[in-house]
Amino acid sequence: GKDRVAVKEKEKINKDRIEGDVIESIKTILSLWKDGKFNELYDRGDQKSRRAIRREDFEHRMRKKGMGLASSWETLRGIQVDVESATLAYATVRIGFKPKKGGETIFRTETYRLPFEKGMWKIGLQKILQTKL
């Protein structure tokens, strides 16, 4: 009985740590996006999406987008993390988007798949490129 409790405790500690790490990764990714640091944002992309789009194309498409992220306090309105395994999590994030030509902030809830690759939680770049208002 005691061993099972110890295993459950260990799983909970790992899950809490993973959730914290995923939240930090999402905050970093959104910060790079908001600051227009698309080169660094590309490095946060998972292997699959980096194979699908070249760095230059990703940067170009991000610059052309008609919207960006809202000011700091509006950018992120909550993160819900679902840990699937030690190497896969889903983050459901409420984000504030701002049209580049002015206008109201629009809040959208997006779910991002984050695989753990090379010691870091990564994000699908296509999902970021496909975000529309």
Side-chain angles (χ1 to χ4, degrees):
K2 244 194 259 175
D3 289 346
R4 251 197 311 235
V5 171
V7 167
K8 280 273 182 248
E9 278 301 303
K10 188 167 186 266
E11 284 174 5
K12 183 178 173 359
I13 290 164
N14 287 346
K15 188 171 182 272
D16 289 348
R17 200 191 80 225
I18 289 171
E19 282 179 8
D21 291 349
V22 168
I23 287 169
E24 283 312 304
S25 287
I26 286 287
K27 286 180 177 174
T28 300
I29 287 163
L30 291 177
S31 171
L32 293 171
W33 184 355
K34 191 164 92 57
D35 296 342
K37 296 180 177 171
F38 304 131
N39 187 24
E40 291 165 58
L41 180 57
Y42 183 86
D43 293 332
R44 293 287 185 146
D46 61 23
Q47 281 180 316
K48 185 179 165 205
S49 61
R50 286 195 323 231
R51 277 198 298 267
I53 186 166
R54 290 182 18 242
R55 181 182 301 270
E56 297 76 24
D57 295 339
F58 175 75
E59 289 183 42
H60 177 72
R61 287 179 58 190
M62 287 301 288
R63 277 190 231 300
K64 269 186 31 189
K65 278 173 114 36
M67 53 108 195
L69 298 184
S71 57
S72 308
W73 60 276
E74 287 183 320
T75 303
L76 188 57
R77 285 291 174 93
I79 303 175
Q80 167 81 44
V81 177
D82 293 312
V83 178
E84 290 283 314
S85 70
T87 57
L88 180 63
Y90 290 87
T92 302
V93 191
R94 187 153 162 76
I95 304 173
F97 294 99
K98 196 96 171 136
K100 283 186 180 163
K101 291 187 168 45
E104 294 298 307
T105 297
I106 297 159
F107 292 97
R108 294 264 315 271
T109 301
E110 297 281 353
T111 300
Y112 297 100
R113 180 182 185 274
L114 291 108
F116 190 75
E117 297 175 356
K118 296 187 174 151
M120 191 185 288
W121 292 97
K122 305 280 189 152
I123 196 164
L125 298 173
Q126 274 79 6
K127 178 93 175 165
I128 293 175
L129 286 172
Q130 288 163 0
T131 305
K132 288 182 175 57
L133 293 180

